[in-house]
């Protein structure tokens, strides 16, 4: 047990409806002050085996449970989340350093919405029957089995339930492996689900390191689906481990997304969109970190951008006036700093930031904007996942599109323009799973979500989630003799 932000959190695994410890533990450190906040049970192959066994045993009954009952239980879990928004927000902020105001206003309420959405979508899921030469075709979505869900640290509970909710709605059972840098709210979720009446073994949580618990989980022969959000190198390892079992994968990976600003754009809107990319201290996979600005307005845009960023407040994420908190972990902080240092060595110039916030110390990194980075340099091609943006200019629409598509990623893109026809032309050519025009981070669970190129494999959301978490079956029935 641990007391975190005044909330009691059980630090054991949740397997088969019981709390389970491990012989070893790992230390969970708060990014706010780099102080230990909990000792977490460190799972490995034995705990994974127990969790998969529990999920396998629970699967037949859960798969036979009616859609209406599964939906009712998901709504009950959502009710439990709603009752504990403040507790979940406090623990999440202590654990991953994101803003308390964001957790209260949007992130934790979105957790409940994830469960309600997929519960309701399940009840309307279907396809009209159709005929082939007098034969009736009927499409159905059958539960697939045990799902291994491996989730990231930047929005731990919200992104976990983006996977957990559709998997449970589909009739699958789940083994959830949360990120080791932010495991606490996954443990709280297990308790909320149990209180809601979710049967034992349907949801299991195994904590541990990716190289231990994660590796054992994705290689397990009884796992029938793997959904992972994280880095490209880790995804390659997961795909290799899943290959012998032919386990279907859904991978949401990194990004190096562009924000294209044309001269006909609303300048204030474009600047607001650019500044918004510092959200969550830059630890957002969808962030448009490459600012591509038409040369004729680049000077004015930069002037307005610098004025806006000067008003950003960096500090303790528990303070409601804070706009930018810390990086998640010392290892990640050093990675961000290494990328910034190498960018300077390559000739890029920092107009703002360019290093740690020495006034705050710890894991706080100043919002940074680079200009003049050489074409093809690391800072223009590799995901930083920190508060680091680059600015480049273009002269023509064709050049802008080529620059936007000029990385190995294709997760998202943002476009600022006052011309609807230009917006249509450009968005059609952009390689991205999601494109926003004159807006950012507008997300609807009915829409497909995923990446192109090395930003991912597959799509989730709405029917796409059920297509992944189910075995989609077509039954063809010949005409019955009268």
């Amino acid at each position: 047990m641990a007391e975190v932000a005044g909330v009691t959190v059980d630090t054991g695994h949740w397997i088969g409806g019981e709390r389970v410890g491990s012989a070893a533990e790992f230390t969970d450190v708060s990014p706010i002050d780099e102080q230990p906040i909990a000792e977490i049970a460190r799972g490995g192959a034995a705990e994974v085996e127990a969790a998969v066994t529990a999920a396998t045993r629970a699967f037949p009954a859960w798969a036979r449970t009616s859609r209406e009952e599964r939906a009712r239980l998901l709504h009950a879990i959502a009710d439990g989340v709603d009752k504990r928004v403040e507790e979940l927000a406090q623990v999440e902020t202590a654990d991953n350093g994101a803003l308390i105001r964001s957790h209260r206003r949007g992130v934790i309420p979105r957790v409940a919405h994830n469960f309600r959405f997929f519960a309701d979508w399940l009840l309307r899921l279907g396809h009209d029957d159709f005929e082939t030469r007098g034969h009736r075709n009927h499409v159905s979505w059958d539960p697939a089995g045990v799902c291994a869900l491996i989730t990231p640290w930047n929005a731990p509970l919200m992104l976990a339930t983006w996977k957990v909710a559709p998997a449970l709605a589909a009739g699958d059972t789940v083994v959830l492996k949360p990120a080791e840098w932010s495991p606490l709210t996954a443990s709280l979720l297990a308790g909320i689900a149990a209180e809601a009446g979710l049967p034992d073994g349907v949801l299991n949580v195994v904590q541990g390191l990716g190289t231990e618990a994660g590796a054992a989980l994705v290689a397990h022969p009884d796992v029938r689906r793997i959904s992972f959000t994280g880095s490209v190198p880790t995804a390659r390892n997961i795909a290799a481990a899943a290959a012998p079992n032919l386990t279907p994968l859904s991978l949401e990976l990194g990004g190096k997304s562009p924000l294209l600003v044309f001269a006909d754009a609303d300048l204030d809107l474009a600047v607001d969109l650019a500044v918004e990319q510092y959200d969550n201290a830059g630890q957002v996979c969808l962030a448009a970190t490459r600012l591509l600005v038409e040369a004729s307005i680049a000077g004015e845009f930069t002037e307005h951008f610098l004025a806006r960023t000067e008003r950003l407040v960096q500090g303790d994420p528990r303070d409601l006036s804070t706009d930018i908190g810390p990086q998640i972990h010392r290892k990640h902080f050093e990675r961000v700093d290494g990328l910034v240092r190498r960018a300077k060595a390559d000739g890029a110039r920092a107009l703002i930031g360019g290093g740690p916030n020495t006034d705050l110390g710890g894991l706080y990194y100043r919002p940074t904007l680079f200009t003049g980075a050489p074409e093809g340099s690391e800072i223009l091609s590799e995901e930083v996942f920190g508060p680091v943006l680059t600015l480049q200019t273009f002269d023509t629409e064709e050049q802008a599109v080529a620059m936007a598509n000029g990385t190995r990623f294709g997760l998202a893109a943002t476009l600022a323009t006052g011309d609807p026809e230009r917006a249509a032309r450009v968005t059609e050519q952009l390689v991205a799973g999601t494109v926003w025009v004159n807006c950012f981070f507008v997300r609807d669970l009915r829409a497909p979500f995923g990446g192109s190129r090395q930003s991912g494999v597959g799509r989730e959301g709405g029917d796409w989630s059920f297509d992944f978490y189910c075995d989609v079956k077509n039954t063809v029935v010949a005409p019955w003799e009268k």
Side-chain angles (χ1 to χ4, degrees), residues 67-294:
R67 288 188 177 192
E68 290 75 17
E69 178 62 8
R70 295 203 302 264
R72 185 192 69 79
L73 285 167
L74 264 62
H75 273 285
I77 295 172
D79 291 341
V81 170
D82 284 338
K83 291 174 183 177
R84 302 184 67 179
V85 167
E86 182 62 23
E87 291 181 18
L88 292 166
Q90 292 285 352
V91 172
E92 196 89 302
T93 293
D95 204 15
N96 88 323
L99 303 184
I100 186 68
R101 72 176 193 230
S102 296
H103 282 140
R104 287 171 174 164
R105 296 174 186 174
V107 178
I108 302 302
R110 174 63 181 267
V111 170
H113 175 66
N114 286 344
F115 282 105
R116 296 193 194 285
F117 172 87
F118 286 106
D120 294 342
W121 198 267
L122 170 66
L123 297 181
R124 65 170 66 99
L125 180 68
H127 191 290
D128 291 340
D129 289 355
F130 54 97
E131 286 196 4
T132 304
R133 298 189 302 278
H135 296 65
R136 181 172 61 87
N137 290 261
H138 176 73
V139 179
S140 58
W141 284 259
D142 294 350
V146 178
C147 296
L149 309 180
I150 302 179
T151 54
W153 46 258
N154 57 323
L157 189 57
M158 191 271 284
L159 292 177
T161 56
W162 157 254
K163 302 176 187 296
V164 170
L168 295 182
D172 296 333
T173 53
V174 166
V175 179
L176 170 64
K177 209 296 280 185
E180 53 261 37
W181 288 348
S182 55
L184 296 179
T185 48
S187 178
L188 293 176
L189 175 65
I192 291 171
E195 292 170 5
L198 194 69
D200 294 346
V202 172
L203 171 64
N204 306 273
V205 178
V206 176
Q207 300 151 153
L209 309 185
T211 53
E212 299 171 355
L217 182 57
V218 297
H220 200 290
D222 292 336
V223 167
R224 293 313 314 139
R225 294 291 187 274
I226 299 171
S227 181
F228 168 74
T229 298
S231 71
V232 172
T234 301
R236 291 194 181 105
N237 292 335
I238 290 173
N245 302 315
L246 293 179
T247 309
L249 298 167
S250 178
L251 305 173
E252 194 264 281
L253 309 177
K256 194 67 176 175
S257 301
L259 165 56
L260 294 82
V261 180
F262 288 92
D264 57 17
D266 180 320
L267 186 64
D268 289 335
L269 170 65
V271 169
D272 286 345
L273 292 173
V275 174
E276 193 174 350
Q277 308 312 312
Y278 289 130
D279 183 46
N280 202 21
Q283 299 168 134
V284 177
C285 59
L286 294 161
T289 57
R290 293 184 296 133
L291 310 182
L292 310 180
V293 184
E294 193 163 349

Side-chain angles (χ1 to χ4, degrees), residues 260-266 269 415-420 422-424 426 437-438:
L260 294 82
V261 180
F262 288 92
D264 57 17
D266 180 320
L269 170 65
L415 172 66
T417 179
D419 184 347
R422 183 200 298 277
V426 172
V437 178
N438 295 329

Side-chain angles (χ1 to χ4, degrees), residues 256 335 338-343 346 373-384 390:
K256 194 67 176 175
R335 179 184 178 278
L339 284 158
V340 169
R341 289 176 182 272
R342 290 192 294 276
D346 285 342
E375 184 178 351
S377 61
E378 180 186 48
I379 199 66
L380 295 179
S381 57
E382 294 299 320
E383 183 178 41
V384 179
T390 60

